[in-house]
Structure formats: C-alpha cells, structure tokens
Amino acid sequence: MGSSETVVIGLNWVGDNILALPTYRALHHRFKHEGGIAVAAPENVSTLLASSGICRKVIPWSGRTRDRIASLKRGRFRRAVILPNSFRAAMIAYAAGINERWGYSTDCRSLLLTHVVPRIADRGHQLEDYARLLAAMNAPRVVDEIPSIKLPVAVRERARRKLRARGLRLDRPLFGIHAGGLYGRAKHWGDQRYAEVAERLRADGFGVVLLTSPGEREQAEAIAASLDGAPIIGESGDVMEIAAAISHCSIIITNDSGPLHLAAALAVPSVSIFGPTDPDRTVIPGASRVVRAETPCQPCYARECPLGHHRCMNEISVHDVYTAAIGLFNEIDGKVISVAPALESR
C-alpha cells in the first residue's frame, strides 16, 4: 500500500479533535484502498492523534500559515478534506496545490473548494457536525460510535511514576481538577472555588491533582499555593501526559474544556461545570455529570461575560460541585460518603 492520497485538515482544539475521532475513522475507512488518510493538526494534539491508530500518518504543524502550506506540499496529496470552517483552512489547502478540496461552504470560501457542501444551520450534537460532509463523500460514520482512545502502557506507567514522585498515593481514589480553559475566562468557574472543593476532598481523605497546560500554569500554581501545595501535572504541554494522568483518576472536575473530552474518551467519569456554553452540544450523554445554573442569557459562547455579572458561573456554589463529585463517587464506588450541609455562600 502506498502513501495516503488524502489529507484531513484537522481541528485546533484538543476537545474538538476528540469529538472528531469518529469522523477521522470514517474517512480512513472510506479511503483505505488509497492508503487511508493523513491528518494535519497542531503539534500539541498530534501525539494524541497518532496514538489513536486511526490514521496512517499525522502531520504536526505550527501556527504559521506558510509552514502549513509547505507541510501539505511535501505530502503531495491528491485530496484534502477540510474540517475547520475557516477561510484560512481552505486557503492553505488551495495554496498547497491540492487538486481536490472538500469542505463546508462557510466563511466565504466556496471559490477555494472544488467540492462545496452546504452546512445546515441547526446544529445538534458536535459529533454530528460532519455528518453532511461525510455523506457527500460516501463515508458515513458508525452512528452510535463514541470517541475513545487507548493509551500505550509505557505512557500510563510514566504518568504513574510522575504522580507518585509528586507525593500522590495511587492506592486511594484520586480526583483530578482542571480549573482552566484557554477559550476564555467566561468558561472559568473560579480559582478560589476550585481550591475550596479540593480542600474538602482532601479533608475526606482523597488525593487531588491539578491538571493544567503551559498557558494555564500560573493559574494552577496559584491554586496550589492556596492549598499549601498540591501536585500539578500537564505544565509541559504534552497532551499525552495529561491524558495519562486523567487515566489514573477516579473522577475529574473541570470546566467545559479539553480534559473533559479526554476523560470521556478514556472512560473516566467527570463532573463538568458549564456556564456560557451548551452541554447538549458537546457532552456525550452519560459521560459527565453536568453542574449548571440556568440563566436566561445562556448559551452566549462569549469569551468574557458580555453583561458583566457572570451569573451562569457565579451562581454555582462550591457545595453544588462538591456534592456532585461525592455523589458520582458514591455511585461508582458503592461507598456512601456523607456530604455536610453547605456553609459557604454563593
């Protein structure tokens, strides 16, 4: 079998790539007699896509447009399937000289595509985002397939050693807490609230690890300092490292961000805190316990609260999240850990 003739222009965010795994799989199956597919994706998610085993090759690329064009030119691809809806993504495939270019007719880019697929306005779950594009290419995905990843044993073992080296005992339940989210502050519940949840969990005898990324490191360090020290994992920027750390957790608690989708793909239960975004759009049914304060302005998808009050997050209390976490743990573990009445104010 020769090299892939088809390159898929992948997505930029970790969570989006996780939710696109069934789409990648459907395209690889569709073109398996032509060498399957290569996927071009940002460097920080390329290792994760490579470990999925779905595609023949992963092309890690930087954010620079000319570097992306050069990467595609080197591949000598005949066909490009463009998943991002941006003008730039289509322009890169066009500039790379790829003769056959498939994508949605978004962002005024139809002239850059050879095969234009209209996108329906009414968006359901994100898993269905590419259903129409796949249908046009005669590459339907398995309808009930949910994203899943398996980590290499060596990667999990490396994370286990790192967790133990940072003082965590893995013979007791471990909660992972991710307070960040690079999308914007509107998705953040609040550092102090996360610290209070962590303190209550540690008082119950649980281990707690803070999950982070290079852009969120200062935030994680501030939370750790308020807890008189707490182990942090993920500051290296290696998505495989944070995925492996999540795989050792009993439960993770997170905003609507990449670790939520990593946990779902690893079959790790989660408590997710949603404010400006819609959980019905991204949460796989049954994969997470969603905590939400209903407000009339949801969902706005803004990076900063446009009304200035951030009620959709501020009205979720520490007790709400702690209770959801302990309730989920009790369901999974079969033990009953009592929850004290809420003392703190919202």
Side-chain angles (χ1 to χ4, degrees):
M1 179 167 52
S3 59
S4 305
E5 296 185 20
T6 301
V7 63
V8 180
I9 310 300
L11 300 155
N12 290 322
W13 299 94
V14 171
D16 290 345
N17 277 288
I18 293 289
L19 291 170
L21 287 175
T23 295
Y24 293 137
R25 194 182 305 279
L27 289 167
H28 189 70
H29 182 75
R30 167 66 177 82
F31 298 112
K32 64 183 178 181
H33 298 303
E34 299 178 9
I37 61 169
V39 177
E43 290 171 341
N44 69 311
V45 295
S46 61
T47 52
L48 186 74
L49 292 175
S51 74
S52 73
I54 291 173
C55 47
R56 182 178 178 86
K57 180 182 180 183
V58 177
I59 302 168
W61 61 18
S62 69
R64 292 171 50 165
T65 297
R66 66 182 182 184
D67 292 343
R68 293 187 175 196
I69 293 169
S71 294
L72 294 187
K73 279 184 175 178
R74 283 193 296 271
R76 299 175 181 242
F77 297 106
R78 184 169 69 83
R79 179 187 300 110
V81 183
I82 303 159
L83 298 190
N85 291 314
S86 66
F87 181 88
R88 180 192 183 210
M91 184 271 291
I92 287 168
Y94 175 85
I98 299 173
N99 289 333
E100 189 179 319
R101 301 178 300 279
W102 293 75
Y104 283 129
S105 56
T106 51
D107 206 20
C108 304
R109 64 187 194 165
S110 294
L111 289 176
L112 297 174
L113 303 172
T114 59
H115 295 73
V116 182
V117 180
R119 185 174 183 183
I120 51 174
D122 183 25
R123 296 192 298 172
H125 198 282
Q126 194 170 328
L127 286 171
E128 302 297 331
D129 274 7
Y130 301 104
R132 188 168 245 196
L133 181 60
L134 292 174
M137 304 190 77
N138 194 27
R141 72 176 184 87
V142 178
V143 173
D144 58 354
E145 182 188 354
I146 62 170
S148 63
I149 51 176
K150 283 190 175 181
L151 299 174
V153 172
V155 171
R156 290 198 78 235
E157 177 59 23
R158 194 158 56 242
R160 186 186 70 81
R161 289 198 303 267
K162 184 169 279 192
L163 290 167
R164 291 186 65 185
R166 296 186 181 184
L168 288 163
R169 288 175 47 188
L170 298 182
D171 59 347
R172 65 177 182 175
L174 176 63
F175 280 76
I177 289 183
H178 178 249
L182 298 173
Y183 176 84
R185 287 188 300 176
K187 278 189 176 185
H188 293 198
W189 180 46
D191 297 357
Q192 186 54 42
R193 296 186 185 110
Y194 272 113
E196 289 179 35
V197 169
E199 199 60 74
R200 291 182 69 168
L201 290 170
R202 293 207 301 193
D204 289 334
F206 296 114
V208 171
V209 61
L210 303 179
L211 306 169
T212 191
S213 69
E216 304 160 336
R217 182 172 180 167
E218 287 185 12
Q219 179 187 27
E221 287 174 346
I223 295 170
S226 72
L227 292 167
D228 294 324
I232 300 171
I233 291 284
E235 66 274 27
S236 70
D238 182 356
V239 174
M240 294 295 281
E241 179 182 73
I242 197 169
I246 289 170
S247 76
H248 288 287
C249 293
S250 301
I251 291 170
I252 73 158
I253 305 171
T254 179
N255 305 316
D256 174 19
S257 57
L260 168 64
H261 304 295
L262 284 172
L266 292 162
V268 173
S270 62
V271 171
S272 52
I273 303 165
F274 273 77
T277 53
D278 182 3
D280 290 338
R281 170 106 174 101
T282 55
V283 174
I284 296 165
S288 184
R289 180 159 296 183
V290 176
V291 182
R292 204 172 184 219
E294 299 286 343
T295 60
C297 46
Q298 288 171 315
C300 71
Y301 288 96
R303 293 174 185 262
E304 301 275 347
C305 176
L307 302 178
H309 54 57
H310 208 201
R311 277 179 49 202
C312 63
M313 283 300 201
N314 289 334
E315 293 188 1
I316 299 171
S317 72
V318 170
H319 188 71
D320 293 336
V321 174
Y322 169 76
T323 302
I326 292 299
L328 184 57
F329 178 78
N330 285 339
E331 277 185 26
I332 295 163
D333 201 63
K335 297 176 182 175
V336 178
I337 297 172
S338 61
V339 176
L343 298 176
E344 77 287 334
S345 64
R346 290 181 186 270

